[in-house]
Amino acid sequence: DAKTTQPTSMDCAEGRAANLPCNHSTISGNEYVYWYRQIHSQGPQYIIHGLKNNETNEMASLIITEDRKSSTLILPHATLRDTAVYYCIVSISGTYKYIFGTGTRLKVLA
Amino acid sequence: GAVVSQHPSRVICKSGTSVKIECRSLDFQATTMFWYRQFPKQSLMLMATSNEGSKATYEQGVEKDKFLINHASLTLSTLTVTSAHPEDSSFYICSAFSSGRTDTQYFGPGTRLTVL
């Protein structure tokens, strides 16, 4: 089962891009990378996911390296409301189960 | 987008009683639902996988007789904490999944259980 490694915490200035890295060096060829965030005392919110290609939606961009061993979530213009714990998850192949790591606590500073 | 609800949002009960938590997918049929628990300042821990019409699959270390899961329909799963004790106090979160939709889990808002 693939595992992910993320920095424990990061700060970002409001209005700047927030780049959150994730290592998943043991990912299998058919396993997706998912990103969620959790604001205090709420359920995780889906952000984006991808397999090989870079992805973009209204919330964020996901950059996956060519060897798929790492990825970066980009919030292009961080706001105070983006302060949350961000989880990078690789689902367990064939099961769609998620094993959550410790995530990155992002703090957006005014 | 996909909406998942949980009821109740918070519950306080006495030690020894049982508590039922409902998880509903409001705008799609969920072939699978997952149940997690989260202690303060910790990450989510997967408890069990629930497939409609079949028995739940529990993760190692999770007591199936204590945490009863029923997935009676494609939009409803319930988690019953039986004979609750203070150490069962936690934040319980469900997620709903539908293969072929987006292959993505959508999470409910969570239920805060406090056992006195």
Side-chain angles (χ1 to χ4, degrees):
Chain A
D1 301 334
K3 294 180 180 179
T4 62
T5 305
Q6 298 176 253
T8 302
S9 63
M10 292 179 65
D11 289 342
C12 176
E14 188 179 20
R16 303 295 295 271
N19 297 288
L20 291 85
C22 178
N23 287 320
H24 32 79
S25 59
T26 59
I27 193 170
S28 298
N30 59 349
E31 292 177 329
Y32 283 78
V33 179
Y34 295 85
W35 283 84
Y36 288 78
R37 70 183 182 185
Q38 186 179 27
I39 297 170
H40 183 62
S41 294
Q42 298 181 25
Q45 177 191 21
Y46 168 77
I47 301 173
I48 199 167
H49 75 287
L51 182 64
K52 294 180 182 178
N53 300 320
N54 298 337
E55 302 287 344
T56 296
N57 62 21
E58 65 279 4
M59 289 184 69
S61 295
L62 174 60
I63 308 299
I64 302 174
T65 58
E66 194 168 339
D67 62 8
R68 301 211 324 123
K69 293 185 177 181
S70 66
S71 62
T72 300
L73 177 75
I74 301 172
L75 306 178
H77 304 288
T79 70
L80 298 178
R81 286 193 299 268
D82 293 322
T83 293
V85 178
Y86 287 77
Y87 294 101
C88 166
I89 300 162
V90 175
S91 62
I92 299 174
S93 180
T95 70
Y96 303 107
K97 286 164 56 173
Y98 293 170
I99 302 300
F100 280 76
T102 54
T104 295
R105 186 172 298 275
L106 175 69
K107 188 173 183 179
V108 180
L109 306 172
Chain B
V3 180
V4 177
S5 69
Q6 281 185 242
H7 178 79
S9 58
R10 56 178 64 235
V11 56
I12 300 172
C13 70
K14 292 182 179 179
S15 185
T17 61
S18 294
V19 175
K20 180 184 285 188
I21 302 170
E22 293 186 347
C23 176
R24 294 181 184 272
S25 56
L26 300 184
D27 55 356
F28 70 101
Q29 293 185 325
T31 52
T32 304
M33 288 184 173
F34 300 90
W35 286 94
Y36 299 81
R37 64 192 294 183
Q38 184 175 33
F39 293 108
K41 298 188 177 181
Q42 294 187 22
S43 186
L44 282 76
M45 183 192 79
L46 179 64
M47 299 175 67
T49 303
S50 168
N51 292 299
E52 186 265 339
S54 61
K55 289 184 178 180
T57 304
Y58 291 81
E59 295 299 304
Q60 191 173 9
V62 178
E63 300 175 58
K64 63 179 182 180
D65 293 331
K66 181 167 185 63
F67 299 100
L68 301 179
I69 292 172
N70 183 275
H71 194 155
S73 75
L74 287 172
T75 59
L76 173 64
S77 177
T78 60
L79 168 68
T80 301
V81 183
T82 62
S83 186
H85 289 96
E87 58 264 31
D88 298 323
S89 298
S90 188
F91 192 50
Y92 291 87
I93 308 170
C94 73
S95 71
F97 169 85
S98 179
S99 62
R101 180 183 165 94
T102 62
D103 292 343
T104 300
Q105 290 186 31
Y106 293 95
F107 287 82
T111 296
R112 174 77 57 192
L113 170 63
T114 302
V115 184
L116 302 176

